[in-house]
Amino acid sequence: MTRLLSGLRTAASVAGTAIVLCASAHAASVHRYEVSVHPSLDRLAVRACFDGKAPAALVAASDGARFYLESMRVGDRALDPSGDKVMLDAVAENTCVDYQVKLQPAQTRAQTGGPETRRVGSDMLTAIGDWLWRPQESDASIELRFRLPSGVEVSAPWQRRAGNDGQPVFLAGATPYNWSGVVAFGHFFTSDIQVPGAVLHVALLDAPAPAQQAQLEKWIEHAARNVSLLYGRFPVASLQVVVTPTPRGRGPVPWAYVSRGGGPAVHLFINPARPSGEFERDWSLTHEMSHLFLPYVVSRDAWLFEGMPTYLQNVLMARGGAISVEEGWQRMQEGFQRGARTAPELSLVRASERIGYNGIYLRVYWAGAAMMLAADLQLRSQTGGKQSLDTALELLSRCCASEERRWSAQEIVARLDELTGTTIFGDLVRAQFEGASYPDYEAVLTRAGVKVEGAWVEFDAAAPWAAERDALMRTGH
Ligand SMILES: [Zn+2]
C-alpha cells in the first residue's frame, strides 16, 4: 500500500493524472527471488534479481544470518557481509546476486521465544531473518518463487498466488524487513480455511494422523469464527497458522505467539496427547488471534497489547459458546484476582518495567484486561448502547490497520477516543497510570451486577450496567 501510494505521487508530479496508473505500474520495481530448497531442507540456494538499479545493500533481520551464509556472489565477484549488511557497491543495473545458506537448526527441545529455526520432526521451521537477504527499504517489493523437492510444501506469511508452473509465488515487502516471521518447509499437511472476512493458511507440521488433522482444523476454524464475532469479520484478511507439536509444557497449548513480519501469523505449539475437548475450551488460540485487533504495539506497552486479548479471549469464547456466559465472567474475575495478588506492592508503571520477572506479567496483563472491561461497559452506557469496544476496534481497523509501523499505547488510546468521540479511554488510562493501585475491577463488576462466588455466578437485573453486561456477551453489540 505504501509503495503504491508513493509511486502514484511521484508519477503524478511528473506525468499528470491521465497516465498515472500506467506510469506507476511501470515505475514500481519488483525484485525477483528464486529460492531452491535442497531435499535436506536446511540448504537454500537463492538467486535474487533486481529490477533496475540494484539496492545499495542487502540486509537480513537476524544476527545469525551471516553465519548461515555460505557464499554470495554477483557474477565472478564474491560478496561478504560487513556487520549485518552486504554492500552492493558498483553493481550494474538489472543484476542477479546468488547466495547459498546452510541453516543450523536449534538443537534444544525447548522453544526459546518467537520465530526461530528448528527441526520439527523431519520438517524444517525457519526464521525468515536467518536466510532472507533483502533490500532494507520497506518500499521494495519482492516476488519469491520456491523450487521445492517433490512432495515438499511451503508455509509463509506473505501474500500468495499460484504460479504458472504450479510452484507457489509469494509477494513480500509490505512490512519492515526486521519484523520477524517464519517460513516452514516439509512434507506437512496444509489447508485453507475460510472464515468471515479471512482465509487462514494452515500448516500442521510433523504430519499428525488424519483424525487429529481434522480435529485441529475444526478447532482453528471454531476459534477464528468466535474471534470474527467481535464485529462480524476476522481482523485481518489473511493469516498464516503454523501448528507444531511439542512433548513439553502444560495443557493443550503450552506456548503460542503472533508474528507480523511479511504478514500476520499465529504459531502454536500443541500437545497432541491432550483430548480434543481441552483444545476447544482452551483460551490460547482465541487470545493469539485477538492480538490482531490492534496494530503492532511497542513492547513497553504490554498492558494494552496483552490486556486487550486477555480481556477479549473470555468475551469471544462466551459469545461463540466455547464456554458459557457464566464461565466467561468467572474466568475474568479469577484472572483479575490473580493479577491483583501478584506483586501487590507494584503500581502498573513499576510492574510494566519488571514484566519479565516472577510472573509479574500476570499483573500487567490482567490490569490491562480490567481496564478494557471498564472502558467497554462505560462506552456502552454513555452512548446508550450505540457504541462499544467492538465498534471502536472496527473503526480502528479501518483507519489504522494498514499502517505498517509500531504504535505506542498512547497513540492508540488517543485514536480510540477520537474515533468514539469520547474521552473514555484517555481518562481511564490517565487515572490508572497516575495512581499506584490496581484497577478497581470489583467496583466495575458490582456496577455490572455480576457476583461470582467459586463456581456460582449470579446476575443482578437491577444493576446500573445490567443491560450493558448482557449485551457484552451477545453477538452483534
Ligand atoms: Zn498475548
Side-chain angles (χ1 to χ4, degrees):
M1 189 58 92
T2 315
R3 179 183 55 73
L4 186 62
L5 284 177
S6 63
L8 278 172
R9 241 177 267 126
T10 320
S13 61
V14 250
T17 43
I19 53 163
V20 160
L21 283 174
C22 217
S24 72
H26 289 294
S29 61
V30 178
H31 305 313
R32 289 186 169 76
Y33 278 52
E34 188 171 283
V35 182
S36 301
V37 180
H38 189 267
S40 66
L41 306 182
D42 58 3
R43 284 181 177 277
L44 307 173
V46 182
R47 162 157 273 221
C49 296
F50 303 108
D51 184 11
K53 193 169 178 293
L58 297 181
V59 289
S62 114
D63 290 339
R66 60 196 149 121
F67 302 107
Y68 305 141
L69 184 66
E70 286 192 318
S71 68
M72 186 183 284
R73 54 180 57 248
V74 53
D76 293 338
R77 179 153 70 100
L79 300 168
D80 286 314
S82 96
D84 58 352
K85 285 192 172 92
V86 177
M87 303 306 292
L88 298 185
D89 309 316
V91 167
E93 291 197 350
N94 302 314
T95 301
C96 298
V97 167
D98 289 286
Y99 68 88
Q100 281 76 38
V101 173
K102 167 83 168 73
L103 292 164
Q104 271 153 41
Q107 299 299 318
T108 55
R109 292 179 82 194
Q111 167 74 18
T112 53
E116 63 176 28
T117 297
R118 56 170 48 245
R119 286 272 178 196
V120 179
S122 61
D123 297 333
M124 187 75 188
L125 188 65
T126 73
I128 297 171
D130 279 350
W131 60 266
L132 185 63
W133 290 85
R134 51 170 290 180
Q136 189 164 354
E137 300 77 29
S138 59
D139 61 351
S141 285
I142 304 173
E143 193 180 85
L144 291 119
R145 284 164 196 276
F146 286 88
R147 300 279 163 233
L148 300 165
S150 157
V152 169
E153 299 280 347
V154 55
S155 164
W158 307 301
Q159 282 179 49
R160 179 180 182 137
R161 66 177 171 79
N164 297 335
D165 53 2
Q167 295 274 30
V169 181
F170 295 92
L171 197 64
T175 57
Y177 84 95
N178 54 359
W179 288 13
S180 60
V182 297
V183 167
F185 307 110
H187 297 266
F188 45 75
F189 174 85
T190 62
S191 66
D192 286 351
I193 298 176
Q194 303 268 350
V195 295
V199 182
L200 315 176
H201 303 283
V202 178
L204 307 178
L205 271 51
D206 200 18
Q212 184 142 43
Q213 277 172 19
Q215 176 232 311
L216 292 170
E217 280 184 281
K218 243 189 239 153
W219 166 58
I220 293 164
E221 179 175 351
H222 290 164
R225 285 190 181 279
N226 291 349
V227 167
S228 60
L229 293 176
L230 193 75
Y231 49 70
R233 63 179 162 82
F234 197 76
V236 296
S238 169
L239 181 72
Q240 178 198 21
V241 181
V242 178
V243 181
T244 305
T246 174
R248 297 164 68 95
R250 273 188 289 175
V253 190
W255 175 250
Y257 64 86
V258 163
S259 63
R260 314 251 184 176
V266 173
H267 188 181
L268 302 151
F269 291 82
I270 60 152
N271 182 347
R274 308 303 306 186
S276 66
E278 277 189 22
F279 283 83
E280 295 287 340
R281 289 174 44 77
D282 184 82
W283 53 268
S284 312
L285 183 49
T286 313
H287 173 100
E288 295 308 326
M289 288 174 166
S290 296
H291 271 288
L292 303 167
F293 286 115
L294 291 178
Y296 200 175
V297 176
V298 295
S299 59
R300 67 168 185 274
D301 289 335
W303 70 269
L304 178 68
F305 72 76
E306 289 294 353
M308 183 70 80
T310 301
Y311 168 60
L312 291 176
Q313 71 198 32
N314 294 305
V315 171
L316 294 170
M317 288 180 81
R319 281 195 199 174
I323 55 175
S324 67
V325 169
E326 285 79 2
E327 190 170 355
W329 286 109
Q330 197 188 7
R331 286 184 178 196
M332 260 196 268
Q333 168 162 316
E334 233 173 67
F336 297 151
Q337 287 173 338
R338 280 181 83 189
R341 280 198 307 267
T342 306
E345 71 286 3
L346 296 185
S347 68
L348 187 48
V349 176
R350 300 287 290 144
S352 296
E353 288 164 1
R354 297 189 195 182
I355 194 161
Y357 303 97
N358 302 330
I360 287 172
Y361 74 93
L362 282 170
R363 186 168 186 84
V364 177
Y365 287 24
W366 283 102
M371 288 157 75
M372 291 305 120
L373 171 66
D376 198 350
L377 289 172
Q378 202 184 326
L379 182 56
R380 287 165 189 270
S381 163
Q382 199 168 309
T383 61
K386 286 196 182 68
Q387 293 195 53
S388 62
L389 192 61
D390 311 5
T391 59
L393 289 176
E394 203 269 339
L395 292 172
L396 187 74
S397 85
R398 282 201 250 163
C399 74
C400 306
S402 62
E403 285 183 35
E404 301 290 358
R405 64 178 181 94
R406 299 186 81 172
W407 294 65
S408 69
Q410 204 180 1
E411 286 178 290
I412 290 178
V413 165
R415 196 57 73 97
L416 288 172
D417 275 345
E418 195 185 309
L419 292 166
T420 56
T422 72
T423 57
I424 290 172
F425 293 91
D427 290 348
L428 201 140
V429 171
R430 241 183 325 277
Q432 192 57 51
F433 275 90
E434 277 167 8
S437 60
Y438 190 75
D440 192 354
Y441 67 91
E442 282 171 329
V444 173
L445 291 176
T446 303
R447 253 193 111 88
V450 179
K451 205 170 159 193
V452 183
E453 267 168 34
W456 181 257
V457 183
E458 208 177 271
F459 299 117
D460 177 2
W465 282 349
E468 289 79 4
R469 168 202 72 210
D470 289 343
L472 171 63
M473 294 296 195
R474 270 200 310 264
T475 298
H477 290 274

